[in-house]
Amino acid sequence: MEKYNNGSSTGTLYVIGTGPGSKGCMTFAAATAMKDSDVIIGYKTYLDLIPEFLEGKEVISSQMMKEVDRGREALKIAEEGKTVSLVSGGDPGIYAMAGLVLELAQKEDCRCRIEIIPGLAAINSCAARLGAPLMHDFAAVSLSDLLTPLELIYKRLDAVAGADFVVALYNPRSKKRTEQIVKAREIFLKYRSPDNVVGIVTNATRDNETIILTTLDKMLEEDIGMQSTVIIGNSQTYRWGDLLVTPRGYSEKYKM
């Protein structure tokens, strides 16, 4: 756990990642921090997944697009001397709340103690459900243009596609945002064959989890949404039954 302190400590703010949703994928450190907290703050959808940790706590929930408000409220309460858990899904330092909290704390010269508590990220949990697609160099790119210009997103996709990275696409498609995943596929097809393997995991580790193995040319035929992570294999990634494997290179170096 990383610790930050700008001076004499008042309260403590834990910025927590609860993992992909399954209780078994939450870290002991995250569970302990919430148990020790007076107040738990988070996006309602994530809080609904952890009702047993909310009992006896002051709970503050809000809807999507309220990240700045949640961050400010969490810092304010911690500054007052309380112990606060600010909850993110996955890992708080990957497309989540950790960076925003530290930016706000720096801007507002907060003096509370801040600890970033890691969680199992979507890229880890989805890769595990698919087998071993991340055994060699990989990259993660979010297709959401809410905070990043589309031109920059496409530039990054072109760079990692051309460099033969395994690539995990976060936020691949929403009800209103449907064209980014189409463009992403076009970019990858510039560099990779139509039968390049692709894995799509939706709601990883949850009761409604779905796992799909497909190819670049057929991936858009599948149901892809905001709860999906799309992992595009590199040129060496192959399918073995219901699993994906990206060779690390052991077979070329050692007798197997």
Side-chain angles (χ1 to χ4, degrees):
M1 294 184 287
E2 295 297 328
K3 300 178 181 179
Y4 304 88
N5 196 304
N6 191 35
S8 60
S9 178
T10 51
T12 296
L13 173 58
Y14 297 115
V15 188
I16 291 173
T18 57
S22 168
K23 304 299 186 300
C25 291
M26 183 187 297
T27 67
F28 182 77
T32 300
M34 286 190 286
K35 180 181 178 181
D36 293 342
S37 294
D38 305 304
V39 183
I40 297 180
I41 301 177
Y43 173 39
K44 185 178 185 302
T45 297
Y46 295 142
L47 294 181
D48 288 344
L49 294 172
I50 54 169
E52 64 270 38
F53 293 98
L54 307 182
E55 296 177 6
K57 310 293 183 182
E58 179 184 351
V59 178
I60 301 173
S61 66
S62 60
Q63 299 301 318
M64 190 180 292
M65 310 292 288
K66 297 293 185 180
E67 292 89 350
V68 174
D69 292 343
R70 286 197 294 273
R72 284 196 172 120
E73 183 73 3
L75 287 166
K76 175 178 176 292
I77 295 172
E79 288 280 277
E80 294 170 353
K82 292 185 178 181
T83 300
V84 183
S85 282
L86 178 60
V87 173
S88 298
D91 180 281
I94 300 178
Y95 300 124
M97 292 295 296
L100 172 59
V101 166
L102 296 181
E103 288 182 63
L104 290 170
Q106 179 184 20
K107 182 178 179 181
E108 299 178 13
D109 194 29
C110 292
R111 301 171 64 82
C112 65
R113 180 169 171 259
I114 302 173
E115 291 195 20
I116 312 300
I117 299 182
L120 187 63
I123 192 171
N124 303 110
S125 54
C126 292
R129 304 304 284 162
L130 291 169
L134 304 183
M135 281 295 294
H136 217 304
D137 299 332
F138 62 88
V141 180
S142 171
L143 298 190
S144 172
D145 61 342
L146 180 63
L147 301 173
T148 306
L150 269 179
E151 294 78 11
L152 181 55
I153 293 172
Y154 295 149
K155 182 178 180 180
R156 289 172 174 171
L157 287 173
D158 192 84
V160 295
D164 202 30
F165 280 94
V166 177
V167 179
L169 301 180
Y170 276 68
N171 307 311
R173 179 190 280 159
S174 68
K175 291 181 180 179
K176 294 182 179 179
R177 181 174 45 78
T178 60
E179 292 304 311
Q180 282 89 328
I181 189 68
V182 177
K183 179 64 175 178
R185 175 177 170 274
E186 291 176 3
I187 292 171
F188 276 88
L189 283 171
K190 287 168 43 182
Y191 301 99
R192 306 188 189 182
S193 68
D195 60 357
N196 194 109
V197 295
V198 174
I200 304 167
V201 182
T202 303
N203 296 310
T205 78
R206 303 181 192 179
D207 292 339
N208 57 342
E209 173 189 84
T210 61
I211 300 172
I212 296 170
L213 300 183
T214 183
T215 58
L216 266 178
D217 63 334
K218 295 180 179 179
M219 61 180 278
L220 296 183
E221 299 173 10
E222 307 297 341
D223 186 16
I224 300 173
M226 282 294 287
Q227 298 302 315
S228 304
T229 300
V230 179
I231 296 183
I232 301 173
N234 67 16
S235 61
Q236 302 301 309
T237 306
Y238 64 91
R239 180 172 176 173
W240 178 47
D242 293 330
L243 301 173
L244 298 184
V245 181
T246 300
R248 181 73 175 91
Y250 289 108
S251 61
E252 298 176 6
K253 187 173 180 62
Y254 305 103
K255 291 182 180 180
M256 294 176 59

